[in-house]
Amino acid sequence: MVQRSSLSVPYEVPVLAMCFLAWVATGLELSVNNHIGDFDLTTPRVPSLSLSCLAQNSSQAEELLWYRGEGKVDLKDGNKVNISNICITPVTESDNRVTFTCRLARDQSVRVSVTLDVQFPPQLTEEEESIQVEEDKDVTLTCNAKANPQALTIWYKNNTTLTLQQNRYQLHQTSEVSQLAIHKVQKADNGTYTCVVKSDLGEGRKDFHLTVEDKKPVFPKEAVIAAVVVVTLTVLFGIVARRDKIFKVW
């Protein structure tokens, strides 16, 4: 019986150690700006924004890692253990929907992510345009704009709200693009078209100066080919008819 009890001791020790480690791992958690779970952080465009990651309930020094998307952030040596801070300078519209993640170095499944919700007024990517188009042709006016929150786009002609006539105008819109298509433009379509993009944070606009030019005359391809054939045959017949005179000269 003594031998049996002595044999059981080596098996109990690892089990106790594993239970102890599991308890330590279970109690450890990370928080970012006092959030222990993933979250969205709404912010305007600001000169700088700080994110602070803290290892909570830790019984030892824990190294922390930061990632921007899939890219690792370089941290100084004094900014890695148990608490780590990063500063985003400045915060711009390009940071919108970018995710920053704090991870535990020895077990990267322990992590907290924050996704930036950067709010900004409508930003149009291009300046005004001057467009010349031939009468009876189609033309498309494209307005590219970014905004958060999503903005409303309204089209004007000569500073008056544009009435979308059926079979004449077609409007296509996504979160960042508004396109106005005009089918078979006429002289009456001359003028300045404006897309105005509005949100609670402001507005942006772009002008399109449309000029409808006279329709260019179009010659039927068949008629041109027929004319070339007639001219060619006429020249050949003339040469054949005068071949005797040509030979006499030689």
Side-chain angles (χ1 to χ4, degrees):
M1 294 295 292
V2 174
Q3 291 178 348
R4 289 180 183 177
S5 61
S6 63
L7 290 173
S8 64
V9 172
Y11 293 95
E12 292 176 358
V13 172
V15 171
L16 291 173
M18 290 175 62
C19 291
F20 176 74
L21 290 174
W23 180 84
V24 172
T26 303
L28 176 64
E29 61 185 8
L30 301 182
S31 67
V32 172
N33 290 18
N34 297 320
H35 292 263
I36 60 173
D38 296 348
F39 67 103
D40 284 1
L41 178 60
T42 300
T43 176
R45 295 176 297 179
V46 291
S48 64
L49 177 68
S50 296
L51 300 177
S52 181
C53 182
L54 175 65
Q56 298 181 340
N57 304 324
S58 175
S59 61
Q60 63 185 41
E62 297 288 357
E63 182 182 355
L64 303 176
L65 307 173
W66 274 103
Y67 288 83
R68 175 190 170 100
E70 299 299 322
K72 189 176 179 180
V73 178
D74 291 331
L75 299 174
K76 294 182 179 180
D77 290 338
N79 189 30
K80 295 181 179 180
V81 179
N82 288 347
I83 185 169
S84 180
N85 300 295
I86 61 172
C87 188
I88 306 161
T89 306
V91 177
T92 68
E93 52 266 26
S94 63
D95 296 310
N96 188 43
R97 307 315 303 168
V98 173
T99 297
F100 292 85
T101 303
C102 180
R103 298 178 184 269
L104 190 66
R106 65 180 176 87
D107 182 3
Q108 295 197 30
S109 65
V110 180
R111 61 168 186 77
V112 177
S113 294
V114 50
T115 300
L116 299 188
D117 176 27
V118 183
Q119 301 206 337
F120 54 94
Q123 304 288 318
L124 275 71
T125 57
E126 299 170 348
E127 298 180 353
E128 64 181 42
E129 290 185 37
S130 294
I131 301 173
Q132 293 79 38
V133 62
E134 189 179 323
E135 195 174 9
D136 279 342
K137 298 287 186 179
D138 296 342
V139 66
T140 299
L141 312 181
T142 301
C143 191
N144 296 298
K146 293 183 179 181
N148 185 35
Q150 187 172 342
L152 174 68
T153 301
I154 304 173
W155 283 89
Y156 295 85
K157 179 185 178 184
N158 298 329
N159 298 319
T160 301
T161 304
L162 182 64
T163 302
L164 299 180
Q165 301 175 17
Q166 190 175 8
N167 300 325
R168 286 276 293 123
Y169 300 102
Q170 184 176 359
L171 191 61
H172 173 71
Q173 293 195 119
T174 67
S175 60
E176 295 186 0
V177 178
S178 180
Q179 290 184 320
L180 175 66
I182 308 175
H183 300 289
K184 293 186 176 180
V185 296
Q186 305 298 317
K187 290 289 187 179
D189 294 316
N190 275 314
T192 297
Y193 295 78
T194 306
C195 75
V196 177
V197 187
K198 295 182 178 181
S199 77
D200 292 340
L201 301 180
E203 71 173 49
R205 60 177 56 220
K206 178 181 177 181
D207 290 332
F208 300 83
H209 305 290
L210 181 64
T211 302
V212 180
E213 299 177 338
D214 291 334
K215 190 174 182 180
K216 296 180 177 63
V218 178
F219 297 99
K221 185 184 297 183
E222 295 80 2
V224 173
I225 294 174
V228 171
V229 171
V230 169
V231 171
T232 303
L233 291 176
T234 301
V235 172
L236 290 175
F237 288 148
I239 293 173
V240 171
R242 302 183 60 187
R243 70 181 184 279
D244 292 337
K245 294 182 180 180
I246 294 173
F247 290 148
K248 287 179 180 179
V249 173
W250 288 95

